[in-house]
Amino acid sequence: MAAKKLRRARLSQELCERLSRHQITTCQDFLCLSLLELMKVTGQSYYDVQKLLCRVSRACAPKMQTAYEMKLRKSVNPSSAFLSTTLHSLDKVLHGGVPCGSLTEVTSPPGCGKTQFCIMVSVLATLPVSMGGLDGAVIYVDTESAFSAERLIEIAGNRLPTYFDSDEKLFCMTRSIHLYRELTCGSVLKRIMSLEEEIISKKVKLIIIDSVASVVRKEFDAKLQGNLAERSNFLARGASVLKYLAEEFSIPVILTNQITTSLSNGPAIQADLVSPADDLSLSEGASGSGKRESGCVTAALGNTWSHSVNTRLILQYHDLPTRQLLVAKSPVAPFSAFFYTIEKSGLVLQDGKDQTNLTWEGTNPALQTIRVRNTALKDTLPDAALPNTTGETLSNTSNP
């Protein structure tokens, strides 16, 4: 709430412009100043400044509401509470789809469809409310240069051919998706901090960051204590602002995450202290010295981050054409699993596929095991086609 812009605290335009010249643009900036400093920058009396402080404090303070009011608001306009994924079984479990007003994380090994999912829901958010969409624009922050406009149009045309039946409708949809390529933690945080006014001016109904882990793992070596603290601060600040935006404007925020390896032998370490290059080899039980290690592949960024997101969806490999989607964490849904394939129209659920062999281990959201490609394909490919999981492979992978 403290990140709210002063323009939205019902201060006069003239006063906001005067404060802006002193780099005071948010409620937090304003409230961090002393009374004497505020008197100096506003040019107002002690009494008037005290009134301003009360007004800004009320504007950024969380409003109390009862459970009944929350329920009533959602029942009056249920379409604004969720963004339908058009994956009907998944939407049913999630009580409507991706929840508005909270953070949803999608994590998986490479190639399972995180970006495909994000592109697909970008299309869906632009649809009219009568079709399950949010009838608004999308802000898509791409940190991996993975977004494809061609794929966006392909998914739209194949998933909803009767609606996107003309080039004009496709063109209108693409103009509603605003793409930003941010490749550093600083630029990502700066973009997040500037989104409030953009959400209002562009009528944004969905924010996507693909991915958070990409910039974090490139810039911070978590094995260094100082870096770990700085990285945790970046993640906490980013999550705090995104939660404020989601709650304030009642929109869904979707974040993608990567995988890492958690080792169970030896001294306890955080789940994200292993580098991305080590993940695949260690998940198969091989260390650089050739000794067998006991480990599992989990979502990256650690335990604290896992508690920052409200909903976690895990995408993992199952067999050669089929992957599996897990609802691993949700305030409204039990643990659930669905099989899917990636088609021209995006993700498509395989509702008739047998799920009797489903296993679920553990309840800690930071230590949910994820099936990676070499494990998934072990029984379907000849040994010669599988990646070698010796220490030599680890060395080669670490030095491309």
Side-chain angles (χ1 to χ4, degrees):
M1 289 291 189
K4 178 180 285 189
K5 297 292 184 181
L6 284 172
R7 297 181 187 276
R8 299 186 58 237
R10 299 183 179 179
L11 302 186
S12 68
Q13 180 73 17
E14 180 184 356
L15 180 57
C16 287
E17 290 176 356
R18 180 167 185 165
L19 292 169
S20 181
R21 289 195 292 269
H22 294 273
Q23 286 77 48
I24 304 169
T25 58
T26 68
C27 293
Q28 182 176 0
D29 297 335
F30 188 89
L31 295 174
C32 285
L33 298 177
S34 67
L35 283 169
L36 289 176
E37 289 171 324
L38 288 173
M39 290 170 63
K40 181 178 180 181
V41 296
T42 62
Q44 298 191 17
S45 67
Y46 178 83
Y47 176 72
D48 289 335
V49 166
Q50 281 189 317
K51 290 198 299 184
L52 284 175
L53 279 171
C54 291
R55 182 181 302 175
V56 173
S57 297
R58 290 194 192 100
C60 68
K63 305 295 188 297
M64 187 280 295
Q65 58 182 333
T66 65
Y68 174 75
E69 291 171 333
M70 294 176 65
K71 178 66 176 175
L72 185 63
R73 187 173 66 252
K74 290 185 177 181
S75 62
V76 169
N77 189 12
S79 60
S80 66
F82 298 93
L83 168 61
S84 171
T85 66
T86 66
L87 304 172
H88 301 299
S89 298
L90 176 63
D91 286 348
K92 184 177 179 180
V93 166
L94 293 176
H95 294 199
V98 178
C100 297
S102 64
L103 308 187
T104 297
E105 180 198 79
V106 182
T107 186
S108 80
C112 278
K114 294 188 298 293
T115 299
Q116 304 295 317
F117 181 85
C118 291
I119 293 175
M120 184 179 77
V121 295
S122 295
V123 173
L124 300 174
T126 66
L127 296 175
V129 174
S130 60
M131 295 182 65
L134 298 175
D135 195 19
V138 178
I139 289 180
Y140 196 117
V141 180
D142 180 14
T143 68
E144 297 182 332
S145 299
F147 182 88
S148 168
E150 292 77 11
R151 181 60 173 146
L152 176 77
I153 294 171
E154 181 182 42
I155 288 177
N158 284 277
R159 197 167 197 90
L160 300 155
T162 56
Y163 181 76
F164 292 108
D165 55 358
S166 66
D167 290 342
E168 183 181 354
K169 283 188 175 180
L170 286 170
F171 178 69
C172 184
M173 180 271 296
T174 57
R175 290 189 63 185
S176 297
I177 297 175
H178 307 277
L179 179 70
Y180 297 101
R181 286 210 162 96
E182 309 292 357
L183 304 179
T184 66
C185 288
S187 64
V188 169
L189 189 59
K190 185 177 180 181
R191 176 64 58 190
I192 291 172
M193 299 291 287
S194 69
L195 287 181
E196 186 174 20
E197 291 184 355
E198 198 166 355
I199 290 171
I200 298 171
S201 62
K202 294 178 178 176
K203 298 182 179 179
V204 172
K205 296 296 183 179
L206 172 65
I207 298 174
I208 294 174
I209 301 182
D210 182 24
S211 73
V212 177
S214 176
V215 289
V216 169
R217 301 176 95 184
K218 282 187 295 187
E219 292 192 30
F220 297 110
D221 182 358
K223 296 177 182 178
L224 301 178
Q225 191 64 32
N227 276 358
L228 186 58
E230 188 176 350
R231 190 192 71 164
S232 297
N233 180 57
F234 164 77
L235 290 172
R237 288 183 65 193
S240 176
V241 175
L242 289 171
K243 280 195 173 187
Y244 158 71
L245 295 174
E247 293 172 2
E248 180 72 9
F249 298 100
S250 189
I251 60 176
V253 175
I254 298 177
L255 315 162
T256 67
N257 195 359
Q258 298 176 351
I259 59 170
T260 191
T261 304
S262 173
L263 302 179
S264 58
N265 287 349
I269 61 172
Q270 293 201 14
D272 52 346
L273 294 189
V274 183
S275 67
D278 299 338
D279 292 337
L280 201 60
S281 295
L282 287 173
S283 67
E284 282 296 295
S287 66
S289 61
K291 295 180 180 179
R292 302 296 292 181
E293 294 263 8
S294 175
C296 62
V297 174
T298 67
L301 302 183
N303 190 51
T304 302
W305 172 258
S306 71
H307 292 289
S308 297
V309 296
N310 305 100
T311 303
R312 170 172 282 174
L313 305 179
I314 293 176
L315 310 181
Q316 64 180 8
Y317 287 96
H318 178 69
D319 55 32
L320 199 55
T322 308
R323 295 156 172 89
Q324 193 175 47
L325 187 156
L326 307 178
V327 180
K329 176 186 177 184
S330 169
V332 298
F335 171 77
S336 307
F338 309 93
F339 292 106
Y340 69 96
T341 56
I342 300 176
E343 313 286 350
K344 286 185 177 181
S345 59
L347 274 64
V348 178
L349 291 187
Q350 307 297 304
D351 290 326
K353 194 171 180 67
D354 179 39
Q355 301 188 49
T356 55
N357 293 326
L358 175 67
T359 58
W360 170 243
E361 298 177 359
T363 56
N364 186 337
L367 296 176
Q368 292 157 346
T369 59
I370 300 172
R371 189 177 300 139
V372 294
R373 183 188 296 271
N374 56 348
T375 303
L377 302 184
K378 184 183 294 182
D379 298 328
T380 59
L381 295 179
D383 291 342
L386 289 173
N388 186 0
T389 57
T390 64
E392 180 181 354
T393 301
L394 180 60
S395 176
N396 293 337
T397 307
S398 301
N399 298 283

